[in-house]
Amino acid sequence: MAKAFKYGLKGITGFLEPAERELLRSLFEDVISMLQPEDRGKQDPLTAMIGLDMDAREPSDRALRRLLPNVMKNDGAASLEFRQLTERSLRESKIGALRAAALDLDKDELLLTDTDARHWSMALNDIRLVLAERLDIQDEADADHVHQMQDWSQAEDVESYLALVYNFTTWLQESLVQAMLQSMEPRP
Amino acid sequence: MTLSVALGPDTQESTQTGTAVSTDALTAPDIPWNLVIWNDPVNLMSYVSYVFQSYFGYSETKANKLMMEVHRKGRSIVAHGSKEQVEQHAVAMHGYGLWATVEKATGGNSGGGKNSGPGKGKGKRG
């Protein structure tokens, strides 16, 4: 079993079993491949270099739309314009955090610096957002319902398996964030 | 937002100490814009509070108060500034996975009204 992240003298530490590391690695990689910008071939290299993407559109996939939301609630045109200016670099920074977290999975003992911990918290949050869309968690009642699912021996279909994975990543992120909040308190 | 296991943040209200005081005044032609954070059933309450503390440099008390406002009212205005400033914050919030939008401070905004004076929020990178 994984151990909860803890903040101590060495920094933030955690422990994951090999199977848990493999699970997280594949989740991180799934979300990375979702976020990977399509290679459109004829992209103007200069605009790509400065992070512009004039072909960017609001994603049709709900999970991707949650990762890359519109910046204005009721103004599709302004949101699209903003997306063309910023979405590419947002995708890249999310991929960067997910890759950094995946690299830390090479060892079973995790020792995280502040920056590592921030990347981990972002990466865990993004995989939870994607899992939540796949589980159709729309409101707090749905979240409570999924939260009931705690027994791995009950995992008999894809949905119950996803629910268990979601609950595991939720628990892991909560313990990490508690350790990060502790690390922000002034030392006595 | 979701409160996982028993490790919830303590949620003091009405004791806003607000150590975050803005030093950058808006220039006259600027129409103030709001950065709005929306509730969702996935993001952890502790994580939202952590983001408010580490990115905006808000005190724990202020961060928890804003986080609870998002949770209870469905949304909260967490920063103000020029359009460019709040857009930059919105991208940073999207980077953290929070659901953020920007809106003009005048007209039709609801919720979080008591924070809506221009120049009161700030955007220090933490």
Side-chain angles (χ1 to χ4, degrees), chain A residues 1 3 25 38 40 49 67 75 85 98 108 143-144 147-148 152 174 179 184:
Chain A
M1 266 298 281
K3 289 182 191 149
R25 192 191 306 276
E38 298 155 47
R40 296 196 186 87
M49 197 171 75
L67 295 178
D75 191 338
L85 299 173
L98 288 154
D108 47 16
D144 286 344
H147 194 66
Q148 308 291 317
W152 284 89
E174 178 68 31
M184 287 165 69

Side-chain angles (χ1 to χ4, degrees), chain A residues 66 69 71 73 82 90 94 118 121-122 125 128-129 132 138-140 166 173-174 177-178 180-181 184, chain B residues 1-2 4 7 38-44 46-47 50 53 71 87 90-91 94-97 99 101-102:
Chain A
R66 180 59 188 81
V71 77
K73 193 85 171 166
F82 188 70
L90 178 59
K94 282 180 176 291
R118 191 163 51 83
S121 70
M122 292 165 129
N125 206 70
R128 290 182 59 246
L129 288 171
Q138 303 280 353
D139 54 31
E140 318 271 337
Y166 178 79
Q173 191 193 13
E174 178 68 31
V177 173
Q178 292 299 336
M180 291 164 77
L181 286 168
M184 287 165 69
Chain B
M1 275 180 289
T2 190
S4 168
L7 299 162
W38 298 85
N39 193 32
D40 73 60
V42 179
N43 285 340
L44 296 168
S46 55
Y47 181 64
Y50 156 76
Q53 289 177 54
H71 184 60
E87 280 177 345
V91 172
H94 295 168
Y96 281 103
W99 181 15
T101 58
V102 302

